Amino acid sequence: DGTVNPFIFQAREGKFYVSFVENTVGGADLKLAWIDPITCQVTQGPFTVNDPVDSVYYWGSQAALSDSAGNYYAVWEANSSFGEIGFASSVSGTTFGPAVEAVSTSDNGQYPVLAVPAPGQVYVAWSGFIDSAAPAGFEYDPFVTSNTDVFGGGGFSPAVQVAATPIQDDGVALVVSPNGDVYVAWESFNDGSQEGGNIYVAKSVDGGLNFTAPVQVNDVTSHASVGKSTFMAWGDGELHLVWSDTRDDYEGDVYYDRADPSLAFGVDEMVNDDTYRYQEDPSVVVGEGSACAG
């Protein structure tokens, strides 16, 4: 009946996961399959992640990760009968416990993302609806919650509003550095124009309880936009971001910038070398290990 929003990530035993949303009669389900990278064949699954079933919003975003111990975690945009942001976890990667709703102080959640700095420790960020009376007709702001003991019966902390602006904030990204600092990035629309907005980052040094004032990433104002949640990564002691930018032409180009932990960004660099095609939804990873570090 239709599948959308695929997501791929590494897993244990040399395999990787593919997760996706599948349309159903009553709504939608989040599915997971194990893939062998040598044969490119499905070795297990697809399994249904969400319980109760049909608790997933079909056109909504989803994200999934596997930690260093091989545990599995997933978040998704839930349908109205279940709540806002659904969460499920698994030790085996084949059977999942009952889904729970990540705590939120907003009325509607979208673009959920995950960070798992250690087995059983989870951070979730999303864009949450705040106020329909905002100047632009709506207000979405970034939120963060955490669960430090997923497999020990821990619950999610009260949601923390990372920033508050009277406009729409979308495209949330989330990373946790090796020393435990939490970074959240998002796109903030300035005036509802078609040119785009700005990319902001805020940092927390106390596990997501409090965040610094937002820092603007892009050099040229009102031309940046993001789509996928994978536009920010941590590596080699720095924060790395990519986005689509219309500063040079309406079609859009891919730009990159990075910052040290103080959030001191450099000069934006254009990644692509052709400027006559529309380019959007970039993602970024940072190499690890002696041969490809940074």
Side-chain angles (χ1 to χ4, degrees), residues 210-231:
N210 298 277
F211 283 84
T212 62
V215 174
Q216 183 174 321
V217 177
N218 49 297
D219 297 337
V220 178
T221 300
S222 302
H223 285 272
S225 62
V226 298
K228 304 302 183 184
S229 61
T230 51
F231 69 95

Side-chain angles (χ1 to χ4, degrees), residues 6-20 31-47 64-67 70-72 92-94:
F7 199 91
I8 188 170
F9 57 103
Q10 293 178 324
R12 61 175 182 263
E13 299 174 359
K15 299 177 182 178
F16 59 87
Y17 291 130
V18 172
S19 58
F20 54 90
K31 300 286 188 174
L32 167 74
W34 286 47
I35 314 293
D36 186 291
I38 304 301
T39 64
C40 293
Q41 299 296 313
V42 175
T43 60
Q44 289 180 286
F47 306 101
L65 287 176
S66 181
D67 63 25
N71 303 309
Y72 168 84
S92 64
T94 58

Side-chain angles (χ1 to χ4, degrees), residues 170-234:
D170 281 336
V172 179
L174 170 70
V175 299
V176 180
S177 67
N179 69 349
D181 293 341
V182 181
Y183 296 85
V184 177
W186 65 94
E187 174 190 357
S188 185
F189 290 96
N190 292 328
D191 55 8
S193 70
Q194 296 298 313
E195 294 298 324
N198 297 313
I199 311 300
Y200 290 96
V201 176
K203 173 184 176 181
S204 172
V205 298
D206 58 6
L209 298 178
N210 298 277
F211 283 84
T212 62
V215 174
Q216 183 174 321
V217 177
N218 49 297
D219 297 337
V220 178
T221 300
S222 302
H223 285 272
S225 62
V226 298
K228 304 302 183 184
S229 61
T230 51
F231 69 95
M232 181 171 66
W234 178 271

